[in-house]
Amino acid sequence: MRWQNQELDADDGALPGLGRAEFVRTVSTPEFEGITFHEVLCKSALNRVPEESGLPFRWTVNPMRGCSHACRYCFARPTHEYLELDAGHDFDSQIVVKTNVAAVLRRELGKRSWHREPVALGTNTDPYQRAEGRYRLMPGIIRALTDAGTPFSILTKGTLLHRDLPLLSLAAREVDVRLAVSIAMLDAELHQQIEPGTPSPRARLDLVRALADAGFAVNVMVAPIIPYLTDGRTQLDELFGAIAAAGARSAVTMPMHLRGSTRGWFLGWLAEAHPALLRRYRQLYGRGAYVSPEYASWLRERTTPLLERHGLVRPPAVPAEPAVAAPRAADPQLALFA
């Protein structure tokens, strides 16, 4: 790991004058068995979105790197390789925490050059993964954005967002706040296999209901749709019906894609759990990361009338300057608010 020669004698979390990554300390606790936290002091909080993509936001904030949700299909897995960690188990269990992210964000938002452009959270790893319960980074981030008059959006699988709902309701009186919940399936057994570290789908539906009751126009990301496992008409109809019943205003769907090392991680699991599907996956994805155009078209034809049937209209765009770009390791799923 890039910080392997850096050590900390003090245990107070203060910056010990270390170089390069500004590493502070490594923490393991019984409460998070099997997970190691690497606390760092970040130099910047706002990430500018590259110019290649056409997303409706220019800026993101990622309080952590790595994610204990452990979703087999997570597109952000390859980003851990930059830290000389692997994109598999390390991504799930070696969590980098930017302990000073809220203070740095507040300083950046206070600059005269800041034009109050929309900021997206949840574009890489989930800001409401379990570690947020320990570090409580999001309240400071929400307050910093609100005090700076900056609109923001949050995409999460984490029901810990319940904790910050009063704060988000207050923020929504001052700035545009968009909230979205990711729910890819209802099947409890499949959920445990593919998203073992996440709250249950039913718990996330309860979150949708709580957000809707608080007055938010909730969008649900039904993604990824996993070929041959979650793309059945009955499965999708039941899922869309549950999402609508929970009070969601809109939903977005898209097929799973497997870029970089995520492909090997997911297909390794598939070979163990559903070996009969391997050949079909190789035909569907070829040597690339994306499903064939034929499958994508077929899936649209299947999902569109079902979404319409349940009244799940496409969400409105986030107010923004001319939309650009996706962050590093950008993903089509980030077009959530397009």
Side-chain angles (χ1 to χ4, degrees), residues 23-34:
F23 170 72
V24 177
R25 64 175 180 171
T26 292
V27 180
S28 298
T29 69
E31 181 185 2
F32 294 87
E33 184 177 357

Side-chain angles (χ1 to χ4, degrees), residues 106-312:
R106 183 173 289 275
R107 183 177 71 241
E108 291 177 331
L109 296 174
K111 294 180 179 180
R112 291 184 179 181
S113 58
W114 179 246
H115 299 300
R116 299 179 179 177
E117 298 172 90
V119 172
L121 294 110
T123 63
N124 194 357
T125 54
D126 199 318
Y128 282 106
Q129 59 179 289
R130 283 186 60 217
E132 170 59 17
R134 172 187 173 91
Y135 288 98
R136 299 184 63 87
L137 302 176
M138 285 298 291
I141 291 172
I142 293 168
R143 291 189 185 98
L145 291 164
T146 305
D147 291 346
T150 298
F152 62 92
S153 61
I154 300 173
L155 169 62
T156 185
K157 291 184 175 78
T159 53
L160 186 57
L161 187 146
H162 272 290
R163 181 201 66 194
D164 292 342
L165 186 51
L167 183 59
L168 289 164
S169 295
L170 289 174
R173 298 178 185 177
E174 306 295 329
V175 298
D176 184 38
V177 177
R178 305 288 177 92
L179 301 179
V181 180
S182 177
I183 308 174
M185 65 197 77
L186 288 181
D187 187 296
E189 181 178 356
L190 188 60
H191 159 255
Q192 281 299 315
Q193 294 175 3
I194 297 181
E195 304 173 341
T198 65
S200 71
R202 293 296 175 183
R204 280 178 264 168
L205 287 169
D206 290 342
L207 175 62
V208 171
R209 169 50 61 192
L211 298 180
D213 287 348
F216 289 97
V218 187
N219 180 51
V220 173
M221 172 68 81
V222 182
I225 293 178
I226 304 172
Y228 315 126
L229 290 176
T230 66
D231 60 0
R233 184 184 299 275
T234 300
Q235 291 171 296
L236 292 170
D237 190 39
E238 182 182 0
L239 177 56
F240 296 162
I243 290 169
R249 183 75 58 85
S250 57
V252 173
T253 66
M254 58 191 63
M256 181 176 68
H257 66 274
L258 301 170
R259 291 193 310 189
S261 47
T262 299
R263 177 181 173 119
W265 186 245
F266 181 86
L267 293 181
W269 167 79
L270 191 73
E272 294 181 3
H274 301 278
L277 291 179
L278 265 180
R279 182 176 179 181
R280 298 178 72 182
Y281 264 72
R282 291 186 179 125
Q283 292 173 338
L284 183 61
Y285 286 88
R287 296 184 178 181
Y290 301 95
V291 296
S292 67
E294 293 79 11
Y295 179 87
S297 177
W298 173 86
L299 187 61
R300 281 193 300 272
E301 291 175 359
R302 167 158 290 187
T303 57
T304 298
L306 292 175
L307 288 169
E308 292 174 350
R309 173 183 173 186
H310 292 287
L312 296 169

Side-chain angles (χ1 to χ4, degrees), residues 3 6 15-23 43:
W3 311 319
Q6 300 176 341
L15 176 65
L18 302 176
R20 294 201 291 179
E22 303 228 0
F23 170 72
K43 295 180 180 179

